[in-house]
């Protein structure tokens, strides 16, 4: 990267939020495994377990409100993501898709819940782990379904192409299936959460900084706060959408691995 | 299974990205090795062309 | 603030493909809404057009990091 440009803000004391604001210090002593995101992950697991145990414990024909909430999420994942996309063998994968969807959804929404306000997936390692699990699942499913040689042949050699062209196309297929798919699926989730959180920080911290400035700046500050609040609702939309897209892509990859031909 | 085709956009972006990255990477490495500067562009064009061909093979054919 | 002009250039270069992708899918949705049975004919065309436009955007992305 050549052509580096340096802008200097004139006499401003405002430090814009940066990626350093995502590196939270450990809560207990020096142990790196006690940072906020780790506790949020554990908290989300407990929250989801308790919620769905409560929702499914006294299942009845006339559902309670709790049971209805749990069942509508489940039915949505099963019908719209499982049945529509994977096809007739979808029931085996519904537990995984459902866990993935609710887990990512809760962890994303932590980003706008007051007092928590940190989307766990804005730390990239969590997104990578989810991407790697999905990567393992869809390749395992494909190999089990087709046998390893037919699965690899299906991936590597597109039918109906003259032989020399395979030199050009096969590396692209390998790169897509082994690198680009797990990478993009986790980067998409990470980047959306990261950018959204940064955006909220900029507007709220900027509004606070304007409030401490001159009278003219104080008048502008409510607009920054109002825009920050509006963006919070926009973030809610993005967070739900990203949980949906991650699950959708997982279902698409599983469906593609199960498909009989391209 | 009409829904699966509706979401082809994600796979298309994946193919284009890996085509550009792989053949562009080959061009870049050859540039470093041979001391030339045009092979990066050639690799990128080749990768984009190959990826577009792959997309046509997978989604464009009847 | 520090940064690189390459990314500003990439931002500008992404405008065109962004508009193009929007127009392609707008036309596709319009066509399918007017004539639902044309969907299977229009779908490959729409996705090929999308791929062409998206390739340019990805070109910009790669060159922004390489040059």
């Amino acid at each position: 990267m050549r052509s580096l440009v340096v802008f200097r803000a004139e006499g401003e004391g405002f430090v814009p939020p940066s990626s350093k604001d995502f590196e939270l210090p450990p809560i207990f002593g020096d142990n790196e495994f006690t940072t906020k995101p780790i506790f949020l992950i554990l908290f989300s697991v407990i929250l989801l377990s308790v919620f769905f145990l409560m929702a499914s414990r006294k299942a009845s024909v006339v559902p309670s409100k709790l049971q209805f909430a749990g069942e509508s999420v489940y039915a949505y994942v099963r019908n719209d993501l499982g049945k529509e996309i994977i096809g007739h063998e979808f029931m085996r994968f519904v537990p995984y898709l459902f866990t993935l969807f609710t887990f990512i959804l809760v962890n994303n929404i932590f980003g706008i819940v007051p007092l928590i306000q940190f989307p766990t997936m804005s730390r990239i390692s969590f997104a990578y782990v989810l991407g790697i699990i999905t990567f393992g699942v869809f390749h395992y499913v494909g190999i089990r379904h087709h046998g390893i040689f037919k699965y690899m042949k299906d991936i590597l050699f597109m039918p109906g192409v003259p032989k020399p062209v395979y030199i050009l196309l096969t590396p692209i297929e390998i790169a897509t299936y082994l690198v680009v798919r797990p990478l993009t699926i986790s980067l998409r989730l990470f980047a959306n959460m990261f950018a959204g959180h940064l955006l909220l920080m900029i507007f709220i911290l900027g509004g606070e900084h304007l409030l401490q400035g001159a009278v003219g700046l104080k008048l502008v500050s409510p607009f920054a706060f109002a825009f920050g609040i509006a963006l919070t609702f926009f973030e809610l939309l993005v967070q739900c959408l990203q949980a949906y897209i991650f699950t959708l892509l997982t279902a698409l990859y599983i469906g593609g691995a199960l498909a009989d031909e391209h | 299974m009409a829904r699966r085709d509706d979401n082809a956009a994600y796979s298309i972006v994946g193919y284009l990205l890996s085509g550009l990255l792989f053949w562009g990477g080959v061009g870049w490495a050859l540039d470093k090795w041979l001391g030339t500067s045009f092979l990066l562009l050639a690799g990128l064009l080749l990768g984009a062309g190959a990826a577009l061909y792959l997309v046509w093979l997978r989604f464009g054919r009847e | 603030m520090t940064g690189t002009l390459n990314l500003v250039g990439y931002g500008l270069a992404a405008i065109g493909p962004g508009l193009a992708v929007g127009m392609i899918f707008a036309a596709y949705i319009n066509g399918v809404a007017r004539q639902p049975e044309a969907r299977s004919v229009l779908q490959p065309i729409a996705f090929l057009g999308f791929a062409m436009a998206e390739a340019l955007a990805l070109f910009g992305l790669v060159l922004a990091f390489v040059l």
Side-chain angles (χ1 to χ4, degrees):
Chain A
M1 295 241 198
R2 280 170 283 167
S3 66
L4 212 63
V5 195
V6 180
F7 297 103
R8 283 232 165 69
E10 294 293 321
E12 285 281 300
F14 180 58
V15 184
S18 68
S19 61
K20 289 209 173 51
D21 289 316
F22 288 84
E23 290 159 13
L24 300 171
I27 295 175
F28 298 118
D30 287 337
N31 191 348
E32 284 177 359
F33 292 102
T34 61
T35 55
K36 192 176 175 182
I38 305 260
F39 283 115
L40 287 183
I41 285 276
L42 292 176
F43 180 54
S44 72
V45 171
I46 295 168
L47 203 67
L48 283 171
S49 316
V50 169
F51 176 73
F52 284 110
L53 281 179
M54 296 272 284
S56 64
R57 200 178 43 166
K58 280 183 287 184
S60 57
V61 181
V62 182
S64 63
K65 272 180 186 160
L66 201 63
Q67 189 191 343
F68 178 73
E71 278 178 358
S72 48
V73 177
Y74 174 75
Y76 177 71
V77 174
R78 189 187 65 185
N79 296 336
D80 283 17
L81 291 171
K83 197 194 264 173
E84 289 263 331
I85 290 168
I86 297 182
H88 58 277
E89 278 184 271
F90 71 100
M91 266 325 267
R92 280 197 290 153
F93 305 105
V94 170
Y96 177 58
L97 295 179
F98 180 63
T99 314
L100 204 58
F101 181 70
T102 50
F103 181 70
I104 296 175
L105 185 65
V106 167
N107 274 301
N108 284 351
I109 286 181
F110 278 161
I112 58 167
V113 173
L115 299 180
I116 300 178
Q117 279 169 326
F118 188 83
T120 327
M121 294 302 158
S122 64
R123 302 294 306 177
I124 196 167
S125 26
F126 295 116
Y128 274 152
V129 168
L130 291 176
I132 288 169
I133 296 173
T134 286
F135 171 78
V137 164
F138 85 83
H139 279 305
Y140 177 75
V141 164
I143 289 171
R144 275 292 296 276
H145 189 259
H146 293 294
I148 185 157
F149 290 109
K150 183 170 181 308
Y151 182 62
M152 277 167 68
K153 189 174 145 291
D154 273 356
I155 286 182
L156 298 182
F157 300 108
M158 175 76 65
V161 178
K163 278 215 169 60
V165 184
Y166 282 131
I167 302 171
L168 214 57
L169 298 187
T170 305
I172 298 180
E173 295 269 18
I174 296 173
T176 305
Y177 276 86
L178 291 187
V179 182
V180 170
R181 277 189 170 187
L183 199 67
T184 49
I185 195 176
S186 25
L187 276 181
R188 190 174 282 122
L189 176 62
F190 156 75
N192 274 286
M193 290 306 106
F194 183 85
H197 194 57
L198 204 61
L199 203 63
L200 291 185
M201 276 202 288
I202 285 175
F203 275 98
I204 303 296
L205 292 178
E208 192 203 2
H209 183 76
L210 289 174
L211 206 57
Q212 292 159 357
V215 183
L217 293 180
K218 276 193 175 61
L219 289 176
V220 186
S221 138
F223 292 104
F225 281 125
F227 209 69
I229 291 166
L231 276 176
T232 305
F233 288 102
F234 175 70
E235 271 310 297
L236 179 65
L237 179 72
V238 171
Q239 284 157 350
C240 297
L241 197 67
Q242 286 309 314
Y244 168 75
I245 285 181
F246 197 100
T247 322
L248 172 79
L249 284 178
T250 303
L252 277 176
Y253 293 163
I254 292 174
L258 284 176
D260 285 326
E261 93 293 2
H262 286 309
Chain B
M1 245 148 283
R3 275 290 296 277
R4 197 183 294 160
D5 289 340
D6 282 353
N7 296 299
Y10 294 109
S11 326
I12 291 176
V13 175
Y15 277 133
L16 291 170
L17 202 58
S18 41
L20 282 171
L21 288 183
F22 183 83
W23 288 110
V26 168
W28 180 81
L30 283 178
D31 266 350
K32 284 267 157 181
W33 183 39
L34 300 172
T36 51
S37 64
F38 68 95
L39 283 172
L40 168 69
L41 193 62
L44 284 176
L45 286 172
L46 184 73
L52 280 174
Y53 182 48
L54 201 53
V55 168
W56 180 76
L57 285 174
R58 182 150 291 181
F59 300 104
R61 289 192 297 199
E62 284 302 305
Chain C
M1 263 200 281
T2 56
T4 150
L5 271 182
N6 285 356
L7 293 180
V8 179
Y10 171 56
L12 292 175
I15 295 175
L19 287 175
V21 170
M23 284 164 78
I24 287 162
F25 278 111
Y28 171 59
I29 292 166
N30 231 326
V32 174
R34 278 163 194 251
Q35 213 165 346
E37 65 270 26
R39 184 197 191 101
S40 57
V41 183
L42 292 181
Q43 198 171 40
I45 303 172
F47 278 124
L48 283 179
F50 166 75
M52 294 278 184
E54 191 65 27
L56 294 178
L58 291 176
F59 243 102
L61 176 68
V62 172
L63 287 179
F65 282 103
V66 170
L67 284 185

